[in-house]
């Protein structure tokens, strides 16, 4: 069930402009706090070159005692050597001091320009202030969603309610986009909070399950940034005892939904994108095979530019499928675009190209469905098209 | 030694307009013939979805009895089912009949629109005519280079001479570009001919060696087409006996050079490209590691758009390196752009950003050098940048 955007019980948030960014009026600092200790888990970028905050936070989860996540935008604190690590730790200690908790209970994320040292002076003022402003209302939640934005054009939030034994359990998430613009090696950051009672290992498992079906299934240009981070915090503040297996499954579905809504919101807000593309691949033996095919189609510059031009160019899609490592023949591929059969039995189908093209031109959403006769596994992947505007945005900055 | 563009001894060629393309005056048919039987080898697309000509030609090499390669542009004869195979075989039989040789001695390549059946009637007229026009002069060689062009703006040829025991051995090649434009799933085709005396297995080995250092090291957008083909023919017409090991090595170098010149010519002619980018990766333990890093940088949309904007954006390059499977730390990377040290010891170097950017803006060529301390292996890779013009060209067509 979708709900008004709000925080789960026992969580407070705040966001403000501390002065890290050039325009001092733009929000650049967010804090999320649980009143009680949470079980916390994190999934971090697989990029071997990763930001200092990733290195610091990664050491602190999974844990049964996470209290806060501090996030700044405007500076990614990546490629900043040992000093970057010290700065990231210093941020968490400032939060810990203000909240009178331990440094290890604080996670940290930074997003923005890379290769520049974190400016401490705006944060020295900003962190006590953001602590002071912590609130549990929806305005505070929105402010905190704003504080993590870089090139995002809209804040990204999601809330779902679940009723368990007559009590309400809440799952709420915020995210910022992965769209990249020079000189920002912008980052995908997301934080999901729930007042459900979970153990540390349950928190960790649920986060990984959700990430595999959401943030790992979205791509703008296939570039994993140096700072990508997704965190799940569960504080058990809802009036519910330990969950049974069925309830855990229900909660998992809701966490998956929140993660998918945030992941899709990132793609919908991708820089310079004209189309939002959903790629469904089904009928493979392994889910990993469906995933490889979906991801290859999603990251193919020729497929993306064809969709920009509202061209149902099956040749580029079938050719992208053919260059994966999944063993197949061209006869095995059944391709539909927006519900119209395009390609089957190794040959283009007899479809109305004009009508399909017109449908693509008039709608922002494009659905590419690829079916195989090999098995029952499937996946869904979301991406954006590749426009001249994307290239302009990503090439016009000069150092 | 570079030489005037001409065919090796014992080879003849021709090219003409048979009427496959919409504009009936544009060349669309090329034939290359050796007067004596050649040792022939081929390297074909690894895409599992491949054109009918690839399927037919692949069965006929390696061989000690190849006489001719027939190539048409304007229609790729790909995704055309069993009828496509019949059409490709029919093309070779038409050539075989005209030359009074066996069908199995003829290879076939097609490039152009995919998913459309090959039109036989222009070829019925065109093949006898192209046989009639066969000649060994440089005009015939140029005509044949023109007949295989699709969206290429210039024909691509290369000739090198080698003196062995006082006699001249010649290596000549032609290629057409891999740049793709809708609805053409354009193809990279190349044919290299030599009058050196080689065995079938030597021909095969030498081709693979050359392809690994040339055509496999170029990429426009990382999409392997359904029809990519490279063929080497050696007819032994030069007045040289069997080559010794040193002479074979010399010949290999010359074949590598011709293949590299053709591969680079393809990138230089890539649609809508502003910059020609050379990526040198050195100091890895395995050549495959250097290759993976170079290829990942080359295919990264964020790196390409940064170069379009003349931005020495080391963050995007270092981040692209970090997302490869090669085990490394950010401290291991030494990065230079156009000879200027940009990044070292996990931190940006103290370089003049304005000067490096200005150098990139004023020159078409960009050199990215990445050095590691792990070993002695290295590779070189060539690519183009990603411009608004590329997106326009690849998105403006609508079926």
């Amino acid at each position: 069930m979708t709900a008004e955007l709000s925080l789960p019980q026992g969580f407070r948030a705040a966001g403000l402009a501390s002065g890290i960014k050039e325009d001092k009026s733009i929000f650049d600092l967010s804090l999320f706090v649980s009143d009680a200790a949470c079980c916390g888990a994190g999934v971090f970028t697989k990029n071997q070159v990763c930001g200092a905050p990733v290195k610091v936070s990664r050491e602190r989860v999974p844990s049964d005692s996470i209290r806060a996540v501090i996030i700044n935008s405007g500076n990614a604190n990546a490629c900043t050597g040992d000093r970057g690590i010290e700065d990231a730790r210093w941020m968490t200690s400032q939060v810990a001091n203000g909240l009178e908790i331990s440094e290890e209970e604080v996670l940290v994320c930074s997003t923005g320009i890379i290769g520049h040292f974190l400016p401490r002076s705006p944060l020295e003022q900003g962190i006590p202030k953001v602590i002071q402003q912590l609130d549990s209302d929806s305005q505070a939640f929105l402010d905190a969603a704003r504080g993590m934005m870089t090139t995002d054009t809209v804040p990204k939030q999601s809330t779902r309610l679940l009723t368990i034994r007559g009590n309400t359990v809440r799952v709420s998430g915020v995210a910022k986009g992965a769209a990249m613009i020079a000189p920002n090696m912008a980052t995908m950051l997301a934080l999901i909070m729930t007042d459900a009672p979970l153990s540390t290992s349950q928190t960790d498992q649920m986060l990984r399950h959700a990430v595999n079906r959401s943030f790992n299934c979205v791509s703008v240009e296939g570039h994993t940034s140096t700072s990508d981070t997704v965190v799940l915090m569960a504080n058990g503040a809802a009036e519910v005892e330990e969950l049974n297996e069925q309830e855990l499954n229900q909660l998992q579905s809701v966490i998956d939904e929140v993660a998918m809504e945030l992941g899709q919101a990132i793609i919908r807000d991708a820089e310079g994108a004209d189309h939002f593309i959903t790629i469904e691949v089904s009928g493979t033996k392994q889910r990993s095979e469906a995933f490889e095919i979906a991801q290859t189609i999603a990251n193919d510059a020729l497929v993306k530019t064809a969709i920009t031009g509202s061209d149902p160019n099956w040749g580029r899609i079938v050719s992208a499928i053919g260059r994966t490592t999944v063993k197949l023949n061209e006869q095995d591929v059944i391709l539909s675009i927006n519900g119209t059969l395009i390609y089957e039995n190794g040959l283009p189908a007899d479809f109305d190209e004009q009508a399909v093209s017109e449908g693509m031109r008039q709608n922002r959403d494009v659905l590419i469905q690829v079916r195989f006769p090999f098995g029952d596994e499937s996946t869904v992947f979301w991406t954006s098209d590749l426009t001249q505007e994307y290239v302009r945005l990503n090439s016009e900055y000069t150092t």
Side-chain angles (χ1 to χ4, degrees), chain A:
Chain A
M1 166 182 175
T2 317
E4 207 189 332
L5 296 166
S6 59
L7 292 163
Q9 288 179 63
F11 283 95
R12 290 178 296 151
L16 51 75
S18 76
I20 296 172
K21 294 178 179 173
E22 209 163 326
D23 181 339
K24 305 298 178 204
S25 69
I26 298 182
F27 279 25
D28 56 20
L29 189 62
S30 301
L31 179 62
F32 297 89
V33 173
S34 168
D35 297 332
C38 287
C39 290
V43 172
F44 301 92
T45 180
K46 291 194 181 100
N47 199 313
Q48 300 174 92
V49 176
C50 65
V54 168
K55 290 175 188 159
V56 170
S57 295
R58 190 151 51 191
E59 284 178 2
R60 297 181 181 179
V61 287
S63 158
D64 61 358
S65 183
I66 294 298
R67 289 286 305 279
V69 181
I70 181 81
I71 305 174
N72 75 278
S73 56
N75 185 309
N77 190 12
C79 295
T80 44
D82 291 340
R83 182 166 151 193
I85 304 273
E86 275 169 44
D87 286 337
R89 290 220 176 95
W90 171 84
M91 270 178 79
T92 65
S93 73
Q94 295 294 102
V95 173
N97 290 344
L99 293 171
E100 295 180 348
I101 57 176
S102 131
E103 200 180 316
E104 277 68 36
E105 295 179 306
V106 184
L107 304 180
V108 56
C109 304
S110 299
T111 173
I113 193 166
I114 72 171
H116 289 248
F117 295 117
L118 198 71
R120 285 201 187 190
S121 66
L123 291 166
E124 258 163 4
Q125 312 291 322
I127 290 174
K129 215 158 122 190
V130 82
I131 291 172
Q132 215 179 336
Q133 293 182 10
L134 283 169
D135 206 322
S136 59
D137 64 11
S138 59
Q139 182 61 45
F141 185 31
L142 179 61
D143 287 348
R146 285 208 178 112
M148 48 200 285
M149 286 165 64
T150 51
T151 60
D152 305 69
T153 63
V154 287
K156 294 163 187 72
Q157 297 169 279
S158 173
T159 297
R160 291 283 190 289
L161 303 185
L162 183 66
T163 305
I164 294 183
R165 291 174 243 155
N167 291 301
T168 299
V169 168
R170 206 174 283 261
V171 177
S172 292
V174 284
K176 70 161 298 282
M180 301 211 184
I181 188 163
N184 292 347
M185 177 58 63
T187 301
M188 198 282 295
L189 296 182
L191 167 63
I192 301 173
M193 296 156 281
T194 180
D195 45 25
L198 293 178
S199 69
T200 304
S201 72
Q202 286 170 336
T203 306
D204 196 60
Q205 281 167 30
M206 286 205 166
L207 176 63
R208 280 166 210 284
H209 188 278
V211 167
N212 278 335
R213 279 149 188 81
S214 57
F215 300 107
N216 282 351
C217 296
V218 299
S219 165
V220 176
E221 70 284 273
H223 191 125
T224 309
S225 99
T226 51
S227 310
D228 293 346
T229 300
V230 186
V231 169
L232 174 61
M233 291 167 80
N235 69 359
E239 298 286 310
V240 186
E241 297 291 300
E242 209 181 328
L243 304 181
N244 63 34
E245 205 179 310
Q246 196 200 335
E247 291 160 349
L248 283 171
N249 288 338
Q250 290 175 326
L251 181 66
Q252 180 73 68
S253 296
V254 167
I255 293 174
D256 290 353
E257 272 182 45
V258 166
M260 273 190 259
E261 184 170 344
L262 294 172
Q264 292 177 38
I266 287 169
I267 298 298
R268 288 190 185 276
D269 197 23
E271 282 155 9
D274 282 345
H275 286 97
F276 176 84
I277 307 164
T278 302
I279 300 165
E280 291 180 7
V281 178
S282 61
T284 57
K285 270 193 210 133
Q286 309 291 335
R287 184 174 177 271
S288 61
E289 295 172 329
F291 184 83
E292 184 191 343
I293 289 167
Q295 191 179 36
T296 304
I297 296 170
N299 289 330
D300 192 293
L302 291 164
V303 171
K304 283 168 174 302
T305 50
I307 291 169
T308 303
S310 299
D311 176 13
N313 194 315
W314 55 269
R316 294 182 181 183
I317 299 172
V318 173
S319 179
I321 294 167
R323 67 185 179 87
T324 64
T325 65
V326 182
K327 276 266 162 281
L328 53 87
N329 285 306
E330 59 209 70
Q331 287 81 0
D332 302 322
V333 181
I334 301 175
L335 170 68
S336 298
I337 297 179
N338 287 343
T340 303
L341 181 69
I342 302 287
Y343 178 94
E344 196 179 24
N345 300 322
L347 291 165
D350 183 23
F351 67 100
D352 183 344
E353 291 187 0
Q354 212 58 49
V356 175
S357 177
E358 203 47 40
M360 292 168 78
R361 191 178 313 283
Q362 285 168 3
N363 293 289
R364 195 163 183 236
D365 285 24
V366 174
L367 175 62
I368 296 176
Q369 288 168 301
V370 181
R371 279 172 291 153
F372 294 99
F374 304 137
D376 295 323
E377 290 296 327
S378 66
T379 199
V380 186
F381 204 101
W382 298 277
T383 190
S384 53
D385 57 1
L386 174 55
T387 65
Q388 293 186 58
E389 181 65 6
Y390 171 91
V391 174
R392 194 187 65 73
L393 283 164
N394 280 289
S395 63
E396 282 202 340
Y397 173 84
T398 304
T399 43

